Amino acid sequence: MKNILNTNQMNLKPASFSDDILKDWIENEAWNEPLAKKADAIRRQSYGTEVYFRGLIELTNYCKNNCYYCGIRCGNPKVDRYRLTYEDIMSCCEEGYELGFRTFVLQGGEDPYYTDDIICQIISGIKHAFPDCAVTLSIGEKSRESYQKYFDVGADRYLLREETSNESHYQLLHPESMSMKNRQRCLKDLKEIGYQVGAGFMVDSPYQTTEDIIADLRFLEELQPDMIGIGPFITHKDTPFAKHPSGSVSKTIRLISILRILFPNALLPATTALGTLDPLGREKGLQAGANVVMPNLSPAAVREKYNLYNGKIYSGDESAQARKQLEKRVEAAGYHVVNTRGDVAGFQVMNTCGDVAESHGVNVHDKVSDCHAENSHNENSHNKSSDYHIENSHNESSNYHVTDVNKTFTDCQKGKES
Ligand code: 5AD
C-alpha cells in the first residue's frame, strides 16, 4: 500500500486520478477512513447533510432474462412469481405520499407483460395524482422509442446499472442473449432523451478484478450519470453462482467514497444490499459519501418474493412504514432526511409558468445552462401527462387481469436456460 498518509493525492482534480491511485484506493482497507473523510466533506459541499428517501415499489418478479447472479432470473423455477396491478401501485404511492415520500421508484424484472401502454398508464396515473413527486423507472433494457414514450408521459429518472464495463466479464455474468453493447446503448439513449440517469455495478461480482472496477469508473466518468448505485454481490443459492461468496462491505464503502470524490454532485444510494450484509451498512454508506436511502414500499405480501439475493432485508427498519426509525438512524449518523423530490444537485424544477419552483443542492447555479432542457422536459411531461386521462388508465388497468400472464413468462424461458 502506497502513500497512506499522503492525502495530497486527493487534492488532484478527479480526471487526474491515475489507474495506479485508484487501484491502491480500491484494494487497501487502510484507505477507508481518509477516503470517507474526504468524501463526506465533498458531499456536504454539494448536498449539505441532506438525505433523500425513495419509496421502492417492486413491480414484478417475472423476468425474461437469465443473469447468472440474480435470484429472479427466468431459469429459477423456485420463485413464486407476482405482478402488481395499477391499483396496487397507486395504493403503494398513496401510502408512501402520506409517509412523506416524494420519489417513487418502480423497479422490476424485464417483464413483457407490462407493455409500453401499461407502463405509460402507470406513470401518468402517478404523476396525475402526485404532481409534486418524481417517478424513477428501473425496468431494464428497452428500445429508445419506449424510453421516449415513458419520458413524454412524465417519467423523471431511470436506473440501469451497467453491471460491468469489461466485455469478457460481462459475458461471464450474463447469457449470450444479452450484450454489454446494448446495455450501454440504453444508457446513452436515456441520457440523450433527458432523464436523470442512474448507472452502477455490483462490488465483488464473480470474476470481477480491480481492473474491471477501474474500467467501470472510467465508463462512468464518460457517461456522467446523475445517480450511481453500487452494492456488494450477494450469493443466491438457486443461481449458477450459488458457490461464489458474497462481496466485501468494506470495499463497497471505500468505493462509495471514491465515487463521491469522482462525482461530487451524484446521488449515491446506501443500498439495501449493503444493509443486508451489515446491519449498520447504510449508516456506514452515508458516512462514506452516500446521500440516498430507498426503503421498501412494496405491498407486504410480495416483499419476500422479490429476492435478487439471499437474506434481503425487507421488514423492520427497512420498510417504508418504519420510516421514523430509519430517520432517527440517519440523524444519529449525522445527517437529516428531507421530504422533497431530491433531484440531482443543480437540477431545477420548473412550475408551469417556467418559474423555478424548487431547486436542489448547494451548487444550484453551477448548472444554469441545463435548466432549459429540464424546463422543456417538465413542461412537456406536465402537458402530456395531463392529456393522458386517469380514467383511461383505470379502465384499461382492469384488463390486466384477463391477460394470460403465465404465457408470456413461459415464452421468455424458452431457449434462455443456461
Ligand atoms: N447481489 C447483489 N446485487 C444484485 N443484483 C442482482 N442480483 C444481485 C445479487 N445476487 C443487482 C444488479 C441489478 C440490481 C437491480 O440488483 O446489479 O442491476
Side-chain angles (χ1 to χ4, degrees), residues 255-266:
L255 273 158
I256 290 176
S257 298
I258 294 171
L259 288 172
R260 173 59 68 207
I261 292 165
L262 297 181
F263 304 93
N265 283 348

Side-chain angles (χ1 to χ4, degrees), residues 69-71 107 138 160-161 163 183 200-202 229 231-236 239 273 306 308-310:
Y69 46 84
C70 184
Q107 185 175 87
S138 178
L160 184 73
R161 292 183 177 177
E163 312 294 1
R183 198 80 175 172
F201 55 90
M202 290 175 285
F233 162 74
I234 303 178
T235 314
H236 189 297
T239 64
Y306 196 83
L308 306 185
Y309 43 79
N310 288 136

Side-chain angles (χ1 to χ4, degrees), residues 8-253:
N8 274 345
Q9 61 179 249
M10 283 194 252
N11 293 327
L12 300 174
K13 285 220 164 61
S16 59
F17 293 128
S18 66
D19 286 6
D20 282 350
I21 290 175
L22 292 175
K23 186 175 167 68
D24 190 22
W25 287 356
I26 293 166
E27 290 182 348
N28 292 303
E29 196 143 320
W31 277 112
N32 279 43
E33 224 182 286
L35 286 171
K37 216 169 148 204
K38 182 72 184 172
D40 188 57
I42 295 174
R43 75 94 81 194
R44 281 168 196 268
Q45 267 180 354
S46 304
Y47 289 100
T49 55
E50 292 187 355
V51 169
Y52 309 109
F53 273 12
R54 319 297 197 198
L56 179 64
I57 301 169
E58 295 155 333
L59 199 62
T60 170
N61 67 356
Y62 282 83
C63 189
K64 70 182 172 68
N65 292 331
N66 216 3
C67 308
Y68 303 145
Y69 46 84
C70 184
I72 64 166
R73 63 201 303 268
C74 69
N76 181 3
K78 294 194 183 160
V79 182
D80 182 6
R81 308 274 172 181
Y82 73 88
R83 292 182 170 111
L84 298 186
T85 63
Y86 176 87
E87 288 78 10
D88 293 334
I89 297 161
M90 290 307 284
S91 47
C92 290
C93 294
E94 272 157 37
E95 189 179 5
Y97 194 88
E98 286 299 309
L99 289 163
F101 291 92
R102 294 295 178 269
T103 289
F104 301 114
V105 181
L106 301 175
Q107 185 175 87
E110 287 192 23
D111 182 355
Y113 167 77
Y114 291 88
T115 58
D116 285 352
D117 279 351
I118 296 177
I119 294 293
C120 286
Q121 285 160 12
I122 295 168
I123 298 164
S124 36
I126 299 174
K127 295 296 282 192
H128 187 271
F130 310 100
D132 54 334
C133 293
V135 170
T136 304
L137 300 176
S138 178
I139 53 173
E141 297 177 15
K142 307 275 178 184
S143 68
R144 184 175 178 125
E145 291 69 37
S146 299
Y147 289 145
Q148 186 69 56
K149 284 185 197 164
Y150 310 153
F151 187 77
D152 288 346
V153 295
D156 301 274
R157 313 186 187 127
Y158 206 104
L159 307 177
L160 184 73
R161 292 183 177 177
E162 78 276 10
E163 312 294 1
T164 177
S165 303
N166 171 347
E167 184 77 57
S168 50
H169 185 220
Y170 191 93
Q171 283 165 10
L172 292 170
L173 301 180
H174 301 97
E176 246 173 60
S177 53
M178 297 178 71
S179 80
M180 190 172 97
K181 203 165 152 238
N182 193 49
R183 198 80 175 172
Q184 298 194 349
R185 186 274 304 160
C186 290
L187 285 163
K188 193 167 153 268
D189 283 347
L190 290 162
K191 273 284 274 202
E192 284 173 9
I193 289 168
Y195 283 94
Q196 292 176 58
V197 172
F201 55 90
M202 290 175 285
V203 176
D204 288 333
S205 59
Y207 313 108
Q208 184 186 56
T209 62
T210 302
E211 286 65 34
D212 293 337
I213 298 178
I214 294 172
D216 270 307
L217 298 177
R218 299 298 179 214
F219 170 74
L220 294 168
E221 280 179 331
E222 224 174 283
L223 181 71
Q224 287 296 319
D226 305 285
M227 304 163 282
I228 305 169
I230 62 163
F233 162 74
I234 303 178
T235 314
H236 189 297
K237 63 178 176 37
D238 303 315
T239 64
F241 288 161
K243 296 215 158 59
H244 289 264
S246 294
S248 153
V249 168
S250 170
K251 195 199 277 185
T252 306
I253 303 271

